[in-house]
Amino acid sequence: ATNSAGSATAVSAATGRIEAAQIGFIGPSFVGVGDSGPTGSKPQSKLWWNDGFWWASMWATASGSYHIFRLELFTQMWVDTGTEIDGRPGTRADALWDGTHLYLASHVFATCGCSTPQFGNPSRLYRYSYDAVANRYIVDTGFPVAINDTRSETLVIDKDSTGALWATWAQDNRVYMNRTLGDDR
């Protein structure tokens, strides 16, 4: 390596092969989640960092729905907080923590991988406040609200510099967007 001060050489000893099972923390089973894995190749965010913990949208096998989990680093275990995200079968969610609220955009997954609308299955925006004493999230009054009225293969959200929330998904071979006006509802 070189830099403005000159160059240096470093030698390290060879390390043994690392097995895949030795890396990371094993999460709960996702048996019963449906046709595809809960994350698969979709661009949806499932993790966020808040109050010294990693949090995740994960499948709770016992209830058959997605819940908010907290990673306990000492035990290397994901703990189900009991906070359900969306009780409808076949949903997926994108998570966004903005430092004040947790936003989860949940949609009924289109298993066909198509962009043909399947109306009657609205995507929902949930907003949660964090209770630091109880280490859990509580859904805010007035939520969820509908983002659209269709199944989709994926749905993602983000927040812009003005505070507006944006959602985007594919439908009828077109990209659709929706945004908040004035408040998060």
Side-chain angles (χ1 to χ4, degrees):
T2 62
N3 60 25
S4 61
S7 65
T9 302
V11 178
S12 62
T15 58
R17 194 175 112 196
I18 297 175
E19 298 294 327
Q22 296 173 321
I23 300 172
F25 303 105
I26 298 173
S29 170
F30 58 87
V31 169
V33 78
D35 293 337
S36 66
T39 57
S41 63
K42 307 304 171 233
Q44 297 168 319
S45 178
K46 308 296 182 197
L47 295 170
W48 64 96
W49 175 261
N50 179 34
D51 197 25
F53 295 100
W54 280 105
W55 301 84
S57 162
M58 298 179 93
W59 181 253
T61 305
S63 67
S65 62
Y66 287 93
H67 285 194
I68 296 174
F69 282 70
R70 180 183 65 248
L71 178 62
E72 295 292 339
L73 282 176
F74 181 73
T75 61
Q76 299 182 4
M77 298 291 295
W78 285 98
V79 177
D80 185 350
T81 66
T83 302
E84 185 177 66
I85 295 171
D86 189 335
R88 298 177 296 169
T91 62
R92 302 288 192 273
D94 187 33
L96 173 67
W97 171 250
D98 73 354
T100 303
H101 291 104
L102 170 63
Y103 298 92
L104 288 164
S106 179
H107 66 102
V108 178
F109 182 66
T111 56
C112 65
C114 58
S115 62
T116 303
Q118 296 175 349
F119 297 109
N121 296 283
S123 297
R124 299 175 178 167
L125 176 67
Y126 294 82
R127 187 182 77 188
Y128 298 82
S129 292
Y130 180 65
D131 179 347
V133 175
N135 286 333
R136 58 176 278 192
Y137 289 88
I138 301 162
V139 69
D140 288 344
T141 303
F143 288 89
V145 295
I147 296 172
N148 62 30
D149 189 28
T150 187
R151 290 176 181 248
S152 59
E153 186 177 9
T154 191
L155 172 85
V156 294
I157 57 173
D158 206 350
K159 194 171 200 179
D160 69 21
S161 61
T162 69
L165 290 167
W166 290 81
T168 186
W169 66 97
Q171 177 182 323
D172 293 327
N173 294 314
R174 294 183 177 162
V175 175
Y176 280 75
M177 293 174 281
N178 202 349
R179 65 180 165 87
T180 56
L181 295 171
D183 73 18
D184 291 340
R185 286 180 282 275

